[in-house]
Amino acid sequence: MRLKGEVTFLRSKWCWKTKNIIREDNLPNNTQLTIYEAHQQLKQKKISSVELTQSYLQRIQHVDSRVKALVSVTADQAIIQAQIADKMIAAGECTPLTGIPAIIKDNMCTRGIKTTCSSKMLEHFVPPYNATVIEKLNKAGMVMVGKANMDEFAMGSSTENSAFFTTRNPWDLKRVPGGSSGGSAASVAAGEAIYSLGSDTGGSIRQPAGFCSVTGLKPTYGRVSRYGLVAFASSLDQIGPLTQDVRDCALVMNCISGHDPSDSTSAPQKVPDYSKSLIPDVKGLRVGIPKEYFVEGMQPEVKAAIENAINKMIELGAVVDWNVSLPSTPYALAVYYIIAPSEASANLARYDGVKYGFSYQEGANMWDNMEKTRQFGFGAEVKRRIMLGTYALSSGYYDAYYLKAQKVRTLIRREFEKAFTKYDVLITPTSPTVPFKIGEKTSDPVQMYLSDICTLPINIAGIPAISIPAGFAGGLPVGMQIIGKPFSEEMLFRTAFTYQQATNWHLNKPVV
Amino acid sequence: MKLRLEEVLHIAALARLGVTDKDVEIFQEQLSNILDNFVVLNKLDTSTVPPTAQSIEIQNVTMADEIKLSLSQEDVLANAPQRGGDFFKVKVVLED
């Protein structure tokens, strides 16, 4: 059942503030637990993982025909995993993620389970191995209930580039959930799983987290292994959690972080216990507000919501400097759209129709087959980026585009480094607008690219940033981005946790 | 700057991407628009700035030379669109 506009928003708010009341949409009432809460119930044997998993599978059945967050539902496998988890719990081996239903973005390899990247190219691809994050989660007793829709090969900001279907924003089904991890964000917002994993190359975790009012972290580059993540832009890609609150985010990071010999860009730094950083105190925290992130064309309601959130931080004891400048910020868009497509054009050269994936067989010769495999297997945005990257790397243009972009990348990094000598964190909006309507930006790639304007620079610099719910504008979610220096995830968690302890935005859930 | 038609065709050939006449027209328009947005970078003097290829400090990562289990031949060939015995099958590469 769905009501319109503001009424929906208010009623859902009521429903969720009074926990343990059956949701408006008449769904199992244990599909509104956080990881932390579900873990307590599992540990105290108040509920079994099989029961919990069945509730979520039921919820998926109820809502996913409208939200369309999932490319595949892995029900049978999930029940088996839940049985394993229940045995672990009975044996006293219950970790915080044991028996907890999760959804994984469909660009992380899952052995024996289709991994499509929402592309015709990989529509029937069944990986022969698990990504490192999947291995880690399996070891912890994860229950994977499904794989999430995304923009094809993670290229996009709305899931409209999925070769299969567009995911809907649970807050307004006529609007996009953001992208590319749109299915991951929408599924958590709609209660189809307790948490999900996404990947972020230019904002692909944070922008959909902001659009769907969930918590999403892009960790420091190298913090989480990329082994088994289908490569888009290798120097920018990073896996991270999408959760209902900051505490859960820390719990997932505890499991998936760490050095991996299978990923040579994986960081050797020791992983702290992130749950220890959940301290509700920001007194004296030095916060910078970079003015370049309040871009022209930003919706005034978004600006107002973020200013309110910043004022809240001041109230909580943070020391805020409203006048920080990162002058190279306006160049980030160009840098990103040279570097990311260049790396993509190289990474996607592997799709030749020979070893796996879609394969055109009717051509005149081998080269003809290969060209037509790529012509019919890739969608429009992927082709556009392959073309762009190939051009930027081609003889005669390399210096003007790719090398130039790499040099400006250095300038952007240095500005962040300098800023972090004065500030502990920087705060910005996650996106300049609230979720836009499906179809609104599909005809103009440059307009679509602009929706990631506040998140791209963070990937370019390789630093961590978290997006948390910071209010609503006209009933639609607004996300706040908190940025830190490399390996400062603890600082981000502490800041975001303090804000969530003092506000209720993250407790609001949509009625789907 | 507008890309020439031949340039678009040249890039498509480099990328081994089959294109229709209509694709070429669309790419010419869209890529030219996107490239126009890159001109802003020329405003910055980067003559003394070193390039950043990746954002982390570590370099020259090596792996111990150990024998480890790898995927089985069956696993590796399981997704092959065309298989001939224990090999991936393709059309003739070198013709007479």
Side-chain angles (χ1 to χ4, degrees), chain A residues 20 49 82 252 261 266 270 292 302 307 320 329 398 410 434 449 496:
Chain A
N20 298 323
S49 175
V252 179
S266 154
K270 206 169 159 280
E292 288 83 3
V302 171
E307 282 169 355
V320 171
T329 305
Y398 180 90
T410 306
V434 293
Y449 296 169

Side-chain angles (χ1 to χ4, degrees), chain A residues 9-24:
Chain A
F9 167 51
L10 289 172
R11 292 188 72 162
S12 66
K13 197 166 162 181
W14 174 82
C15 264
W16 279 79
K17 280 212 165 149
T18 44
K19 284 216 164 185
N20 298 323
I21 284 175
I22 290 184
R23 278 178 74 145
E24 184 74 3

Side-chain angles (χ1 to χ4, degrees), chain A residues 110-360:
Chain A
T110 42
R111 184 181 165 92
I113 296 166
K114 257 190 334 182
T115 300
T116 68
C117 277
S118 290
S119 176
K120 199 180 165 199
M121 190 62 95
L122 293 176
E123 195 173 356
H124 306 292
F125 174 64
V126 180
Y129 67 98
N130 278 327
T132 296
V133 287
I134 302 296
E135 285 290 327
K136 284 178 180 251
L137 288 171
N138 282 346
K139 204 180 260 178
M142 163 178 69
V143 175
M144 185 179 83
V145 290
K147 298 206 69 183
N149 192 34
M150 51 187 281
D151 286 294
E152 183 179 5
F153 283 103
M155 298 176 191
S157 314
S158 67
T159 73
E160 290 165 296
N161 295 333
S162 165
F164 308 139
F165 46 81
T166 298
T167 297
R168 311 304 169 102
N169 191 314
W171 291 92
D172 178 349
L173 299 176
K174 290 191 192 71
R175 292 175 189 268
V176 303
S180 66
S181 309
S184 302
S187 63
V188 171
E192 295 179 62
I194 302 190
Y195 72 96
S196 66
L197 288 191
S199 67
D200 190 316
T201 304
S204 281
I205 289 173
R206 292 159 287 153
Q207 184 253 21
F211 274 15
C212 294
S213 203
V214 299
T215 297
L217 173 77
K218 184 207 88 78
T220 308
Y221 183 80
R223 181 74 298 183
V224 178
S225 168
R226 293 184 298 111
Y227 180 70
L229 170 70
V230 178
F232 159 18
S234 304
S235 81
L236 305 166
D237 296 341
Q238 186 64 196
I239 293 172
L242 291 107
T243 57
Q244 297 169 71
D245 63 18
V246 175
R247 183 195 300 270
D248 281 5
C249 194
L251 294 175
V252 179
M253 279 300 285
N254 272 352
C255 180
I256 64 173
S257 306
H259 181 253
D260 177 13
S262 302
D263 173 5
S264 59
T265 61
S266 154
Q269 275 87 337
K270 206 169 159 280
V271 181
D273 177 356
Y274 290 116
S275 63
K276 291 208 173 113
S277 59
L278 302 171
I279 302 161
D281 179 16
V282 290
K283 277 182 209 76
L285 183 84
R286 299 168 303 165
V287 178
I289 314 299
K291 56 186 181 198
E292 288 83 3
Y293 283 70
F294 292 79
V295 291
E296 212 181 301
M298 169 165 289
Q299 286 172 346
E301 300 86 352
V302 171
K303 188 166 181 252
I306 296 304
E307 282 169 355
N308 281 341
I310 296 166
N311 284 327
K312 187 81 199 172
M313 298 303 293
I314 295 173
E315 212 179 285
L316 293 166
V319 182
V320 171
D321 181 349
W322 291 90
N323 214 5
V324 179
S325 179
L326 301 169
S328 297
T329 305
Y331 302 102
L333 188 73
V335 169
Y336 182 84
Y337 278 99
I338 293 170
I339 290 175
S342 295
E343 294 183 9
S345 74
N347 275 327
L348 272 60
R350 73 190 65 179
Y351 301 102
D352 55 9
V354 173
K355 301 178 291 298
Y356 50 82
F358 172 75
S359 181
Y360 185 86

